[in-house]
Amino acid sequence: MSSDMTSPVRYGTSLNQRKDSVFCWRDFLKLVCHPLSDVLPHWPSCPMDFREVAATYARETKWLFIRITEAILESLGLWGATTEEKTEEDDEILKQFHDGSQLMVVNCFPPCPEPDLTLGMPPHSDYGFLTLLLQDEVEGLQIQYKGKWITVEPMPNSFVVNVGDHLEIFSNGRYKSVLHRVFVNPAKPRLSVASLHSLPFNCMVGPSPKLIDQVNPRRYKDTDFATFLEYISSCEPKKKNFLESRKLT
Ligand code: OGA
Ligand code: NI
C-alpha cells in the first residue's frame, strides 16, 4: 500500500488517500503492465497462478487496444487501410503505441449500507488514450451524456471502451474523453477490471500535426504523464479539470 503513484504495484482505497475529503467506496489493485518482464517480479505471487493469468490478460487487452487504435487512426486519416497508403510516419505512431504504457486497475466496490452518501468513484475522465473496461453483471458505471448520467448496462463478454484525455488531445478534440462515475448499491459487491493504455510514459502527448491547420487550430497544450501525476497527487481530482488545464483558449 503506497501513495507513490509510480510504484509498479499498489493497492488501496479511494483515489488519493491523502487528499480526498470523502473516501470512495472502492478498493483497488493497480498493476503497471509495461514492460511486462520488468514489472512481473513485483506483482503478487499469491494466488499461485495470479501472475500468469494477469499477464495473459494484459497481453490480450494490449492486442485489442492496438486493433482499436488502428481503426481510430484510420478514422482520423492518420493511418491507411491498405499497405500502399501507409507511410513510414504513420507506422511510427503505431510503434509508439506498441511500446506504450499500460496499467491494469482491478476495482472492487463492496455493498454499501448508505449508497446515497457516497460513490464508488467520483466523476472523472481517464488520463490515457483508451480504457478497456470489463465489468461484471452488477450495474454501477455511468457516463455523462448531454448533461445527464446514463447507466452503462453490463453486457456479458464485452468491453466498454472509454476515450481518455490523451486521445482527446491527440485528435485535437475530434474525439472527446468521457466523463464517468460509479455508483454503489446496498446489496451486491461489484468488480471491474480497467485496462488503461497510452503512449510511452516519458512521451509528450500533443495534437497530431496532421490535424492542425488554419481551419482547425491547435486546441491543446502538449502534456506528459509526469505533469498529470503531479497534478493528481497535489489535489483532489475533479471531473475533467486536468484536461481543462491543457486547453488553449
Ligand atoms: C476507472 C473506472 C469504472 C468501473 O477505473 O477509471 O472508471 O466501472 N472504472 O469500475
Ligand atoms: Ni475511469
Side-chain angles (χ1 to χ4, degrees):
M1 194 173 200
S2 157
S3 56
D4 175 6
M5 301 266 180
T6 58
S7 124
V9 180
R10 296 198 304 131
Y11 71 90
T13 287
S14 212
L15 285 175
N16 182 337
Q17 237 151 313
R18 282 175 305 143
K19 305 281 170 157
D20 291 2
S21 49
V22 177
F23 280 1
C24 304
W25 207 262
R26 160 179 99 133
D27 297 319
F28 67 79
L29 172 67
K30 277 189 190 168
L31 304 167
V32 172
C33 302
H34 189 84
L36 202 50
S37 51
D38 292 0
V39 290
L40 215 52
H42 297 277
W43 286 10
S45 53
C46 181
M48 238 167 66
D49 56 352
F50 177 83
R51 284 185 190 169
E52 197 191 323
V53 172
T56 303
Y57 187 84
R59 277 191 214 99
E60 299 286 327
T61 49
K62 174 75 167 220
W63 182 88
L64 180 60
F65 163 71
I66 295 289
R67 293 289 88 77
I68 298 172
T69 298
E70 284 170 355
I72 289 173
L73 293 176
E74 193 183 330
S75 77
L76 292 169
L78 301 174
W79 201 68
T82 63
T83 354
E84 297 91 77
E85 287 175 49
K86 280 180 204 159
T87 67
E88 254 175 51
E89 206 180 310
D90 296 342
D91 285 336
E92 196 48 45
I93 181 82
L94 265 178
K95 260 192 227 142
Q96 288 196 313
F97 280 117
H98 274 283
D99 201 33
S101 60
Q102 184 178 355
L103 185 69
M104 194 182 334
V105 186
V106 186
N107 295 305
C108 175
F109 306 95
C112 177
E114 294 186 273
D116 296 340
L117 297 183
T118 186
L119 281 167
M121 288 183 90
H124 68 282
S125 58
D126 297 341
Y127 65 90
F129 199 81
L130 285 182
T131 301
L132 304 179
L133 182 85
L134 185 70
Q135 49 172 349
D136 66 9
E137 71 294 341
V138 182
E139 284 181 359
L141 176 65
Q142 291 185 317
I143 57 159
Q144 197 171 63
Y145 181 68
K146 294 187 175 163
K148 286 213 180 86
W149 287 107
I150 315 268
T151 301
V152 180
E153 299 294 337
M155 220 188 273
N157 304 313
S158 68
F159 286 104
V160 175
V161 181
N162 266 341
V163 171
D165 292 349
H166 285 175
L167 175 52
E168 177 164 339
I169 294 172
F170 175 80
S171 69
N172 202 26
R174 290 223 233 154
Y175 281 87
K176 299 281 183 225
S177 72
V178 236
L179 193 62
H180 54 284
R181 68 178 190 184
V182 178
F183 66 87
V184 281
N185 76 79
K188 288 186 192 163
R190 176 172 182 272
L191 276 177
S192 71
V193 183
S195 186
L196 288 78
H197 300 260
S198 195
L199 290 163
F201 195 78
N202 295 321
C203 206
M204 278 309 252
V205 182
S208 167
K210 289 189 184 167
L211 300 176
I212 301 174
D213 53 33
Q214 274 186 327
V215 190
N216 297 290
R218 174 191 258 269
R219 295 203 168 86
Y220 305 84
K221 291 181 239 178
D222 288 354
T223 189
D224 60 4
F225 277 97
T227 316
F228 175 77
L229 291 179
E230 213 171 280
Y231 179 87
I232 47 168
S233 309
S234 66
C235 68
E236 201 176 340
K238 286 213 179 67
K239 304 190 174 169
K240 288 169 75 164
N241 276 5
F242 179 71
L243 187 69
E244 291 303 321
S245 79
R246 309 317 299 162
K247 274 188 186 162
L248 297 164
T249 43

